[in-house]
Amino acid sequence: MQVTDLRCEYMQEPLGIDAEVPRFTWRLTDTKDTKGQQQTAYRVLVASSKALLEKDKGDIWDSGEITSGQSALVTFKGRQLRSNEDCYWKVKAVDKDGQKTSWSIVARFSMGLLQTTDWKGAWIKHPDAAKEMHIWYRKNFTLDKVNTAFVHVASMGYHELYINGRKADNRVLAPALTRIDRRVMYVTYDVTALLKEGKNTIAVWYGPGWSRNEFFGRTIFPSLRVQMNAGTFSLATDASWKCQVSSSKNTGGNQYEDHGAEYIDARLYIPNWNETAFDDSQWRNAMETDHKVSLSAHNMEPARIIETVPAIGVTDTIKGIYKVDMGKNYTGWLEVKLHGMSAGDTVKIMVADDPVTIQDWTQGNIYICKGEEGETFRNRFNYTAGRYVNISGLKRKPSTADVKGFVIATDIARTGHFSSSSKLFNKIYETDLWTYRMCTTEGFTADCPHRERLGYGEEVFATAWGIGLPNYQAGAFYTKHIRDWSDVQEPDGWIHHTAPQWNEHYGGPMWSSAGLNVAWEFYRIYGDKRILEANYNTSKRWLEFLHTKSQFGLLEAFFGGGKFLGDWAAPGGRKEFGGTPEATFFNNCVYAMNLSTMIRIAGILGHPEDATLYSKRLRFLKTRINAQFFDPALNIYMNGDQVQTAFPLMTGIVPEKLYATVLANFKEKISAPDAYFDMGSSGLPVLLKFLIEYEEYHEAFAAILSKTNEPSYGYFLEMGETTWPEYWSVNVTSKIHTCFTGISSWFIKSLAGIRADPAHPGFQSFLVKPSPVKAVNFAEAETTSLYGVIKSSWKKEGGRFILDVTVPVNSRATVYMPGEKVNSFKEVKVIGKEDGYILLQVPSGKYTFVSEN
């Protein structure tokens, strides 16, 4: 057995964390594939240097040998950690037979600035530059000796850090977006290797980002704060820093339908502006300023270029415009190589997500040429989204080699994979994931990356449950994003419909409860109580707000029709506005779901008085919903559509004596020959969750998913879409939208059957319950828990069903094997039968199970 993949707060070697009591996670592997292999004890060493660790000394923490099987989220119990402290750690484990592993490789983490008083410098800004301008900042300094050096950068907008002319790392669009009028995340860089004895220069290229937004911009403005700590040497931003308007700026207004692009005047670029030899005596001094915001560490993966997209074709069918086809919709940057241009020539580079439109909204870059052969346009502080690039102002037709796309997303590692005998299913799965990734550019899940760029809550819930948590190492990403929802809560307890931005856009309780909903799903996947604790008071205040908006036990519309939406953007253009019976019913079901979730959380965290209160309110709410919205003559809720039936069934609103009858009505709807998924963006997590986790109609599900007529996922693909559009139609203005993302959950959790164990959060124990539908001959999937890679692969062969399962070391699975008889392993126990499945208790290892149909 070996110890591998050391992580601190879900991240590999994070710098500048502000978790004063961090948690450690490691994985265990066994090259001999010993069945039932597990950890029985561990020892963790944390030291202030690698040299001490090499001597097996932990001057910060030596846990001693702890008898425990815990290898995920092990709490640090050493001495108090200090700001800027550089820490190294390693782990040794003991296996099931009492054999000790060798020490793991050494991992690292460092602490950020833990106290407000640790920040020594001021916020600075250019004295009079327009808000859209990109600014160069720089400061010269001298070092007698090079020590380990950390630079902490907080920016109201984006930044790039340079030391002696070299970029500090490969992140882009830093930092991730927060509600920047309340909280800004600072990025910590280790710049030791970039420094030298003697004269040095620290420089920052700054872009305003969201600081110009109409809502954030009411109280904040483009500005920057930097601090360097290197042994006894320190440096921070103040009025002695020099600044200069750079050669580029943002276009557009950073608001709805106007996020713009970039304007670059290549004639104004100064090649060595960030180097020590540059004479900055003619530059302006920066102006000191201030913001009343919290500074939090960037405890998550940064945005990076995750893929390069080659152009696949260039046409010139439109006079004066060359249309470049990038092959698929993507979010990110463009690089365009120019030929034969003269100084002062203007090139416009416009982006659209359909082949007819020249420019979606204000996605138009402008480049003023410097007149050098082969000069190149490339984005830096804004991004666009689409497939088609329309270029005007060129002297000659570009080749496909002249245009590249760079996909930008939060760099969460993909761990989910699926394939099957159905090419359509495979393509739906990949398109679902691609759409999601194209909307995770700035550290949250957006509705779309071009028109709005807003983190709408119903889509955040659906994508976290359906895509993010099953398919990506997203622990740090969602820890941050759940906090975003607390940051957009108002004093009366109401929560905005988007996060991390706040605005006046439409939404409803399903939107506002995203933080609670995602925190619960996060706990189910990772078993992390800390996320529940962090969100608890926010959710309590939210439930109290809803209680104040209830009349005679039922939640009523508040803030007008647009702020109390029910299901939204469903087939046929169905939209349930606040004040309608449909929206009132839907939102009372949301209220019941929220109460039910909080009852469970209160029990887990030890708040029995809250659980009692919420249970009382939930009982009364269920009674009122049934009295108001259930038709006893027809045994349906409202008009009995899919979401309106699934929601009360899923939330326990349906009385036990009526459950079978109401469920039969649902089955009839979902199994009809002409059935389709009758769900909008807020109904999706309800309907799919019910069909995957509660009642299983997999043949009906597969039949609907196999369709290629409108409305269906297959229809989108038949029509050539490479990401999901905003509505159940291809004739829409936005073709990159997360309204219908989350369908990939069925492939992992149902078809392949890898799912959480309801009785054991955290995936140290999990379920494998495959669903061999008639339309599929084989299916295989994998996902990665905190314990390692989980695989489920099945095929039908003659009259046999063959299932291959991989259970990571130090975990176990309950496997549901279809059939009446299955081959045996001495390590595997048969624990029962259920609905045509044989239930097997399976310890870690690799297994091939075979049953006769």
Side-chain angles (χ1 to χ4, degrees):
M1 191 169 78
Q2 299 85 36
V3 180
T4 64
D5 194 21
L6 275 62
R7 291 176 180 266
C8 176
E9 290 300 319
Y10 298 103
M11 295 176 287
Q12 291 181 320
E13 307 217 328
L15 297 179
I17 66 172
D18 55 6
E20 296 187 49
V21 183
R23 284 91 47 88
F24 302 125
T25 299
W26 56 89
R27 291 184 193 163
L28 300 156
T29 60
D30 187 340
T31 55
K32 295 181 180 179
D33 188 30
T34 306
K35 289 179 169 56
Q37 187 61 278
Q38 62 182 350
Q39 173 186 291
T40 57
Y42 68 84
R43 183 184 176 193
V44 178
L45 293 180
V46 184
S48 56
S49 71
K50 283 186 177 181
L52 283 171
L53 274 191
E54 289 172 359
K55 298 176 183 178
D56 295 341
K57 293 183 178 180
D59 60 326
I60 296 177
W61 184 39
D62 182 345
S63 71
E65 187 171 297
I66 305 294
T67 301
S68 171
Q70 185 181 4
S71 59
L73 303 174
V74 173
T75 303
F76 169 79
K77 294 181 180 178
R79 66 158 171 79
Q80 185 173 357
L81 296 168
R82 299 185 287 265
S83 292
N84 280 309
E85 190 157 19
D86 204 10
C87 304
Y88 299 86
W89 65 290
K90 64 181 182 179
V91 181
K92 177 182 285 189
V94 181
D95 73 8
K96 71 182 183 69
D97 299 317
Q99 297 297 312
K100 293 183 179 180
T101 68
S102 57
W103 284 107
S104 69
I105 60 170
V106 174
R108 179 194 190 194
F109 68 95
S110 76
M111 304 304 293
L113 301 178
L114 303 179
Q115 307 298 327
T116 304
T117 53
D118 292 330
W119 285 92
K120 303 303 181 186
W123 288 89
I124 59 171
K125 65 176 184 177
H126 189 284
D128 53 23
K131 288 185 176 182
E132 68 270 17
M133 301 308 299
H134 301 167
I135 310 297
W136 288 321
Y137 292 94
R138 53 176 283 137
K139 172 77 174 178
N140 293 325
F141 61 97
T142 301
L143 287 177
D144 295 329
K145 180 183 178 182
V146 176
N147 295 301
T148 299
F150 295 116
V151 175
H152 310 286
V153 183
S155 53
M156 288 289 183
Y158 309 126
H159 70 263
E160 291 182 349
L161 173 68
Y162 296 85
I163 302 293
N164 297 325
R166 294 167 62 190
K167 193 167 179 284
D169 70 4
N170 64 354
R171 75 184 65 216
V172 299
L173 300 176
L177 183 64
T178 51
R179 181 177 176 173
I180 55 176
D181 58 347
R182 287 188 177 179
R183 182 191 308 275
V184 174
M185 292 207 298
Y186 64 89
V187 180
T188 298
Y189 301 87
D190 182 346
V191 299
T192 311
L194 303 178
L195 295 170
K196 60 188 178 182
E197 291 184 2
K199 294 181 179 179
N200 291 266
T201 300
I202 182 172
V204 176
W205 199 339
Y206 168 85
W210 285 83
S211 66
R212 299 185 305 131
N213 176 261
E214 59 181 316
F215 293 94
F216 290 148
R218 296 175 184 180
T219 56
I220 57 99
F221 44 84
S223 48
L224 181 73
R225 192 172 189 180
V226 180
Q227 181 166 319
M228 175 188 284
N229 296 100
T232 59
F233 176 85
S234 64
L235 173 152
T237 40
D238 59 23
S240 69
W241 281 55
K242 294 289 189 173
C243 62
Q244 169 70 24
V245 171
S246 80
S247 53
S248 57
K249 64 181 178 180
N250 279 70
T251 62
N254 189 228
Q255 57 193 351
Y256 181 80
E257 293 189 344
D258 188 25
H259 285 281
E262 291 182 86
Y263 178 103
I264 299 173
D265 190 337
R267 300 169 300 177
L268 302 179
Y269 180 73
I270 302 172
N272 63 340
W273 70 272
N274 50 16
E275 298 176 10
T276 304
F278 178 73
D279 179 7
D280 61 14
S281 60
Q282 299 304 306
W283 282 22
R284 307 277 298 276
N285 283 79
M287 177 182 291
E288 294 186 15
T289 185
D290 195 20
H291 293 288
K292 303 301 182 185
V293 297
S294 298
L295 292 175
S296 297
H298 201 281
N299 294 340
M300 65 175 296
E301 296 81 1
R304 291 192 178 100
I305 295 170
I306 64 166
E307 184 179 322
T308 299
V309 179
I312 64 169
V314 181
T315 58
D316 55 357
T317 53
I318 303 171
K319 185 177 181 180
I321 295 177
Y322 294 103
K323 181 181 294 292
V324 184
D325 184 356
M326 303 305 293
K328 60 183 177 181
N329 280 324
Y330 79 95
T331 301
W333 290 350
L334 280 164
E335 183 177 280
V336 182
K337 194 172 185 179
L338 307 173
H339 304 281
M341 307 302 291
S342 302
D345 284 350
T346 298
V347 177
K348 190 166 186 182
I349 304 166
M350 301 161 283
V351 180
D353 63 15
D354 70 87
V356 177
T357 305
I358 299 300
Q359 176 180 296
D360 279 334
W361 302 290
T362 56
Q363 292 192 124
N365 296 289
I366 297 173
Y367 182 80
I368 311 299
C369 300
K370 57 185 173 183
E372 293 182 5
E373 173 56 29
E375 63 184 290
T376 301
F377 163 87
R378 179 167 167 157
N379 292 107
R380 185 180 304 273
F381 289 133
N382 205 346
Y383 56 92
T384 54
R387 172 174 175 172
Y388 299 95
V389 182
N390 298 287
I391 309 175
S392 66
L394 297 181
K395 296 289 180 66
R396 77 180 206 201
K397 183 178 181 178
S399 69
T400 54
D402 289 330
V403 183
K404 292 179 184 177
F406 298 105
V407 181
I408 296 176
T410 304
D411 196 14
I412 48 178
R414 177 174 168 177
T415 58
H417 301 277
F418 168 83
S419 64
S420 73
S421 58
S422 170
K423 292 182 180 179
L424 176 59
F425 286 4
N426 299 343
K427 196 169 184 180
I428 290 172
Y429 172 80
E430 292 294 339
T431 305
D432 205 44
L433 267 62
W434 185 251
T435 305
Y436 168 74
R437 293 296 274 134
M438 295 309 94
C439 296
T440 61
T441 308
E442 297 189 75
F444 66 97
T445 308
D447 63 325
C448 63
H450 40 25
R451 188 183 70 201
E452 296 179 72
R453 300 184 182 178
L454 297 173
Y456 283 98
E458 90 287 23
E459 295 161 351
V460 169
F461 176 27
T463 54
W465 167 80
I467 307 176
L469 293 169
N471 290 285
Y472 294 90
Q473 289 182 338
F477 176 84
Y478 282 115
T479 298
K480 177 265 181 188
H481 201 11
I482 290 166
R483 184 181 64 188
D484 287 338
W485 290 92
S486 295
D487 285 347
V488 296
Q489 186 169 40
E490 294 300 325
D492 64 356
W494 180 68
I495 299 173
H496 284 269
H497 300 135
T498 65
Q501 311 93 333
W502 67 278
N503 51 58
E504 301 299 331
H505 287 253
Y506 281 7
M510 184 65 93
W511 284 247
S512 299
S513 61
L516 170 59
N517 297 333
V518 177
W520 177 247
E521 296 301 330
F522 187 102
Y523 172 71
R524 294 176 67 205
I525 298 297
Y526 295 120
D528 186 350
K529 289 185 181 180
R530 193 176 287 186
I531 202 74
L532 301 181
E533 292 165 348
N535 184 256
Y536 194 73
N537 285 334
T538 298
S539 296
K540 281 189 66 174
R541 293 173 58 211
W542 164 245
L543 289 183
E544 287 309 304
F545 171 81
L546 294 181
H547 183 62
T548 65
K549 301 302 178 183
S550 300
Q551 294 290 330
F552 307 107
L554 278 179
L555 187 63
E556 295 193 347
F558 51 84
F559 298 162
K563 301 299 177 69
F564 198 74
L565 302 180
D567 199 7
W568 187 254
R574 176 166 57 83
K575 297 180 177 181
E576 297 173 357
F577 281 91
T580 62
E582 292 80 10
T584 303
F585 172 72
F586 183 90
N587 287 318
N588 274 282
C589 289
V590 174
Y591 187 18
M593 180 177 72
N594 289 174
L595 284 167
S596 179
T597 301
M598 277 294 281
I599 291 166
R600 285 178 283 185
I601 293 173
I604 291 164
L605 299 182
H607 300 296
E609 66 289 348
D610 290 339
T612 300
L613 174 63
Y614 298 144
S615 296
K616 180 180 178 181
R617 289 180 181 174
L618 180 58
R619 284 193 299 270
F620 188 43
L621 176 62
K622 288 178 179 179
T623 301
R624 294 292 294 116
I625 290 173
N626 282 302
Q628 184 76 21
F629 300 107
F630 181 68
D631 184 339
L634 298 175
N635 287 315
I636 61 173
Y637 290 83
M638 301 299 293
N639 65 9
D641 72 17
Q642 292 173 18
V643 172
Q644 289 171 349
T645 309
F647 218 163
L649 285 167
M650 186 176 81
T651 51
I653 291 169
V654 181
E656 187 177 352
K657 64 182 180 181
L658 294 173
Y659 190 92
T661 303
V662 175
L663 183 62
N665 289 331
F666 177 82
K667 182 180 180 180
E668 183 180 355
K669 289 268 187 181
I670 203 73
S671 303
D674 60 349
Y676 53 87
F677 290 129
D678 189 11
M679 60 187 184
S681 61
S682 43
L684 181 146
V686 175
L687 183 60
L688 295 189
K689 212 168 156 51
F690 180 69
L691 284 167
I692 291 169
E693 297 184 3
Y694 290 82
E695 297 291 342
E696 301 173 349
Y697 299 110
H698 298 306
E699 291 295 349
F701 200 112
I704 293 173
L705 210 54
S706 297
K707 294 180 178 181
T708 56
N709 59 305
E710 186 179 356
S712 70
Y713 291 97
Y715 170 74
F716 289 146
L717 297 177
E718 282 282 304
M719 298 301 291
E721 301 298 339
T722 59
T723 48
W724 304 139
E726 182 182 11
Y727 294 98
W728 287 106
S729 168
V730 296
N731 299 312
V732 294
T733 56
S734 172
K735 291 177 177 261
I736 315 174
H737 236 87
T738 52
C739 284
F740 310 122
T741 45
I743 192 66
S744 55
S745 184
W746 184 74
F747 300 110
I748 297 284
K749 299 176 183 178
S750 293
L751 204 55
I754 303 171
R755 58 178 72 183
D757 184 341
H760 302 282
F763 262 82
Q764 191 163 23
S765 175
F766 58 93
L767 308 182
V768 176
K769 189 179 182 182
S771 304
V773 297
K774 296 174 183 176
V776 177
N777 294 321
F778 74 85
E780 57 185 18
E782 67 178 66
T783 186
T784 301
S785 71
L786 294 179
Y787 302 90
V789 177
I790 300 168
K791 294 184 179 181
S792 170
S793 174
W794 60 260
K795 62 182 177 181
K796 302 169 187 175
E797 192 174 86
R800 301 188 305 164
F801 182 80
I802 302 170
L803 173 66
D804 292 316
V805 175
T806 298
V807 180
V809 174
N810 208 34
S811 59
R812 60 190 179 275
T814 300
V815 174
Y816 287 67
M817 186 66 184
E820 292 298 321
K821 187 177 180 181
V822 64
N823 60 316
S824 61
F825 294 86
K826 65 179 181 180
E827 299 86 0
V828 175
K829 294 180 181 179
V830 177
I831 57 175
K833 291 187 176 183
E834 181 182 302
D835 298 330
Y837 288 95
I838 303 168
L839 275 61
L840 307 173
Q841 191 177 80
V842 183
S844 66
K846 297 178 181 178
Y847 303 86
T848 297
F849 298 107
V850 182
S851 66
E852 302 291 336
N853 289 340

